[in-house]
Amino acid sequence: MQPTSANFIANARDAIADDNLQLAIARVGENFGAKRQQAVDKLPEFDALCGRAVEIKDDVLAHLDYYLEVYERAVTASGGHVHWCATVEEACETVLRLCRSVDAKTVTKGKSMIGEEMEINPYLERHGIEPIETDLGEYIIQLAGEPPSHIIAPAVHKTKEQVTDLFHEHHRKFGKTERLTEGEDLVAEARELLRGKYLAADVGITGANFLIAETGSSIIVTNEGNGDLTQMLPKMHIVLASLEKVVPTLEDAATLLRLLARSASGQEMSSYTTLSTGPRRADDPDGPGEYHVVLLDNGRSELLGGEFQDILRCIRCGACYNHCPVYTSVGGHAYGWVYGGPMGAVLTPALIGLAEARHLPSATPFCGRCEEVCPMQIPLPKMMRHWREQSFQRRLTPGRERLAVALWAWFARRPALYHLGARFAIGWLFRRARGRGHMRKVPFMRGWTLTRDLPAPEGGTFQQQWRRRKRA
Amino acid sequence: MSNKTQGGRATILGWIRGSLDRGELSAEQRAAIDSRLANPRRNLIPARAQVDHAAQVELFLEYLGAANGTFTRVAAEADAPKALSEYLSSQNLPQRVAMAPDAWLQGLPWEKGAPLLERRAGPARPEDQVGVTGALAGIAETGTLMLVSGPDSPSTLTMLPETHVVVLRASQIIGAMEDGWDALRKREGQGKMPRTAIFITGPSRTGDIEMHMYLGAHGPRRLHVIFIDES
Ligand code: SF4
């Protein structure tokens, strides 16, 4: 998708004014947040598992080249193929070539964030192949022509009425003219229509939550079973995965799986955790005849060895989204690209460039909730700070902000002057409030006072109060 | 295609090594990783999975229920056909099933216990309403069924029909997923896997409309286990 991250501030303002959206994202925080806590409370070993999971991924990242080579050997040994793609362009071309090799007209798709990065759907459409999203949430937003707004609940911003309208409009061509308003019926209609699509598709494309070096398997985790139908019915199964998804052994995958569903939705396990290894065997009665893994880098290898390496531990559980006061105020679309929430605020600048995404790492109150709930213990706030520093150093921060920071730095290095200035400012603000305790307007602070009042300072500067209390 | 893939591999591996500020791993480092992969070690297994077998059985059934799965518990193998037939009636389902061509499953006394039941052996067809399979194991820790694909176990049976019935013996209950890996390695050999290994925890569901949970999104609407206590 064409990034609109540069418009984050305007996007966010629109999002806050959208009542439907506000209702929807409030549900995310309440629902996933509470359920996650219950699931974590039920597993006393949760923190210890997180610690072990971090070690597993750190080992993988430190030796990623070798683990990937071993992984590829295992895939090849089980009759599958790995296609190494440095860029999204290469990955798209590879998928197209594979689809054409079996003369594909339609492909069904399980949920894949790498597919979103690649913009594979419009790409296939441009080349005469119809892609059909099968995850209900992805299907809904495909009909709406929108990107996902949450990593595990892509259509969470849509109300039931909006789904009713979308189905009514788009299902007419299949002879479904009744306007369905019950959730139950909407789910059933999508199920029925997509059944036909699975059976007719020539190729099934899924993502991967993990790749296993030991066995050459890919793992998908779903609740609907759409990923399974997508990969078992067509002739060819294509897996889209980025290279940091590899883990050493089946046991290591088990450890990470214990964290994934609990952190994501508060389930003990999602309904389906499926390992796929190679194509169907000679004596298998069903399954795909070909198995291909499109292994995408798209800038990730550059993050190794640097201050952003730890973000590659991410297992895309979405817990940081659900607990982020910014995400739960503005929703996913405001972030303007594939990933949102604190994870997106760190990853997006790395993948599409800081110039485009420089607002994202600034959209944080540094409350630290994301890091607390992250099962992979990724220091998200620290990384956002790194991006802000880089943005300043690379002069991406606009002149006015730079001037303000420079001015502050000049004063901060001159303590006497700083105290004098602070005392003057406090006195001035106090008089301006005229005893009301708050003020509606302050020069240069329109952005702040437009939506709220500024409380008037009371009782002198911090240093004055400090001295007073020390004396007392 | 292979040329480009080769080029892609060399480029990406080069980038990875460049970022990590090193060349290829030394022979010793590679050997250490090879040995880690050849001798997979368990990480932490939650205490709740490490209880005696009777407690594992109860845990399995409890978590199966918590995930919206249902079960009928019978004393002996010979009771399983009747239990299936009764379950189908209770759900207003026809006495017609697609069944895995698994020797043990097919060998149960179907004619005797469920004389009206029509069985077809083989992968699922779109019109099948009920799929009946065995399983490799039932995992106590989370109430999860582990199934692997193979000639006697088509994967479509688990996903295409609206109702999936699994016939499981108490002796197949294991503590954790890791016990499942051990069983699989014993069957297939180290480092080898069947095409599909699926872990099923309850029926298919979606929360994609206003975060309300609806069962039967794409896979089965019902997951029922016929649980045989005798081993
Ligand atoms: S950063 Fe952590 S919490 Fe956020 S999606 Fe990734 S693993 Fe989950």
Side-chain angles (χ1 to χ4, degrees), chain B residues 29-74:
Chain B
Q29 285 171 310
R30 288 204 303 269
I33 292 176
D34 289 342
S35 123
R36 165 155 162 47
L37 295 175
N39 308 288
R41 279 227 310 274
R42 294 181 169 205
N43 303 304
L44 198 162
I45 309 245
R48 83 168 184 228
Q50 307 189 51
V51 289
D52 68 28
H53 194 255
Q56 284 178 348
V57 165
E58 297 310 320
L59 198 62
F60 170 79
L61 294 173
E62 179 193 330
Y63 276 108
L64 171 69
N68 307 85
T70 53
F71 61 90
T72 317
R73 206 164 170 174
V74 298

Side-chain angles (χ1 to χ4, degrees), chain A residues 151 260 263 311 313-321 342-344 370-371 373-378 380:
Chain A
I151 193 153
L260 179 58
S263 299
I311 195 68
R313 290 203 298 256
C314 175
I315 55 171
R316 305 283 188 269
C317 70
C320 58
Y321 289 50
M343 181 266 278
C370 52
E371 189 176 355
V373 297
C374 175
M376 303 309 292
Q377 300 175 355
I378 299 169
L380 296 157

Side-chain angles (χ1 to χ4, degrees), chain A residues 146-222:
Chain A
E146 290 172 13
S149 70
H150 187 284
I151 193 153
I152 66 158
V156 73
H157 59 288
K158 288 266 173 256
T159 61
K160 200 199 298 177
E161 285 69 42
Q162 289 171 322
V163 178
T164 293
D165 291 343
L166 280 169
F167 281 18
H168 191 57
E169 179 190 340
H170 290 273
H171 290 173
R172 205 171 302 157
K173 60 175 176 285
F174 305 113
K176 302 277 177 198
T177 49
E178 197 187 336
R179 196 186 153 81
L180 303 173
T181 53
E182 292 301 316
E184 203 82 47
D185 300 333
L186 291 164
V187 172
E189 187 168 282
R191 176 190 170 103
E192 186 193 328
L193 290 177
L194 284 166
R195 267 307 152 106
K197 305 285 185 188
Y198 292 121
L199 293 161
D202 306 293
V203 173
I205 300 180
T206 69
N209 290 87
F210 304 104
L211 306 172
I212 302 180
E214 178 196 357
T215 57
S217 312
S218 54
I219 302 190
I220 59 167
V221 177
T222 79

Side-chain angles (χ1 to χ4, degrees), chain A residues 75-147:
Chain A
V75 174
T76 310
S78 62
H81 304 272
V82 176
H83 306 268
W84 301 68
C85 299
T87 61
V88 295
E89 290 77 19
E90 282 178 43
C92 283
E93 285 164 20
T94 305
V95 171
L96 181 62
R97 213 165 36 227
L98 290 169
C99 289
R100 286 195 170 151
S101 74
V102 291
D103 226 355
K105 308 276 179 301
T106 63
V107 309
T108 43
K109 276 191 68 219
K111 196 166 126 44
S112 161
M113 296 309 283
I114 301 303
E116 296 289 337
E117 273 185 43
M118 291 164 58
E119 299 178 64
I120 187 67
N121 288 355
Y123 180 86
L124 288 175
E125 274 165 17
R126 279 201 302 279
H127 291 85
I129 295 173
E130 186 196 0
I132 300 147
E133 292 288 353
T134 59
D135 172 86
L136 182 60
E138 293 282 347
Y139 178 71
I140 290 169
I141 59 173
Q142 189 183 28
L143 293 183
E146 290 172 13

Side-chain angles (χ1 to χ4, degrees), chain B residues 80-123:
Chain B
K82 183 155 169 267
L84 173 62
S85 182
E86 285 175 0
Y87 171 72
L88 296 177
S89 305
S90 75
Q91 301 298 314
N92 287 323
L93 290 164
Q95 297 283 327
R96 195 179 320 117
V97 303
M99 190 178 281
D102 168 281
W104 173 77
L105 194 59
Q106 293 285 345
L108 293 175
W110 296 103
E111 284 76 19
K112 194 150 162 271
L116 296 178
L117 188 72
E118 279 175 49
R119 291 173 292 133
R120 185 179 52 76

